[in-house]
Amino acid sequence: EAGVTQFPSHSVIEKGQTVTLRCDPISGHDNLYWYRRVMGKEIKFLLHFVKESKQDESGMPNNRFLAERTGGTYSTLKVQPAELEDSGVYFCASSSQGNYGYTFGSGTRLTVV
Amino acid sequence: AQSVAQPEDQVNVAEGNPLTVKCTYSVSGNPYLFWYVQYPNRGLQFLLKYITGDNLVKGSYGFEAEFNKSQTSFHLKKPSALVSDSALYFCAVRDRRSYIPTFGRGTSLIVHP
């Protein structure tokens, strides 16, 4: 079984630019999660999809962040315009319905300069 | 609200010695508890989880964790550390009504030869 795939693995952009991160969950996993870790801090929840619907987006920091999940498959997280404080590692995870385990991707390291 | 505390930013241990990485949690009701490990330039890998049953949970790579309800702790342990265990370890908790785990700040484990 293929794992959770995220790309790009690294992205360096200037303040004010737009960046789109992509996550391909494990096939058949209805639940998809985005998390972010700022250096030295905890891994913070951003949002949760069930299939194509946003189940919980309480962790999204502000309206510069937009997440979508097309047809309940892959998901994108767009940051527009990026600010310095958006730098960090963005993790995606997926799980199947009723499963207690979460499979994480390798993360995208975003650096805003 | 649920929360996790990992009181140590870094744990140093000599190879062959036992190791403990501490985690305490706060959650409403009975928790689901998890440990994940992140090796350099890799994603989060699942180590073990506590759902119900025996308080001592055994996981991957020889790790185990003990659920202590009275102390609200879920410390990660290994009887004999390896240099290859050096990595970042994250504890996570979830209450039984939510799909969303809350993570700690992470503890850097350094095993010296």
Side-chain angles (χ1 to χ4, degrees), chain A residues 2-110:
Chain A
V4 176
T5 305
Q6 290 186 248
F7 48 93
S9 56
H10 293 83
S11 180
V12 180
I13 62 171
E14 293 184 351
K15 176 182 173 182
Q17 288 187 321
T18 298
V19 63
T20 300
L21 314 181
R22 173 167 168 149
C23 169
D24 286 71
I26 291 174
S27 178
H29 279 193
D30 288 339
N31 295 289
L32 186 148
Y33 313 80
W34 283 99
Y35 283 83
R36 175 175 73 176
R37 184 173 190 248
V38 173
M39 178 88 74
K41 302 281 183 71
E42 66 271 21
I43 299 172
K44 295 200 80 169
F45 167 76
L46 296 178
L47 89 159
H48 169 214
F49 283 99
V50 177
K51 297 184 180 178
E52 67 276 8
S53 301
K54 292 176 186 174
Q55 187 75 11
D56 182 346
E57 52 184 330
S58 60
M60 294 287 264
N62 52 60
N63 59 11
R64 295 186 293 103
F65 288 74
L66 175 64
E68 295 178 326
R69 188 177 183 192
T70 307
T73 56
Y74 70 91
S75 174
T76 57
L77 179 64
K78 180 189 288 188
V79 185
Q80 180 182 28
E83 299 289 343
L84 299 179
E85 65 265 24
D86 300 333
S87 296
V89 180
Y90 290 77
F91 290 104
C92 175
S94 70
S95 70
S96 57
Q97 200 69 10
N99 194 334
Y100 305 113
Y102 307 84
T103 302
F104 281 81
S106 298
T108 294
R109 181 175 297 277
L110 174 65

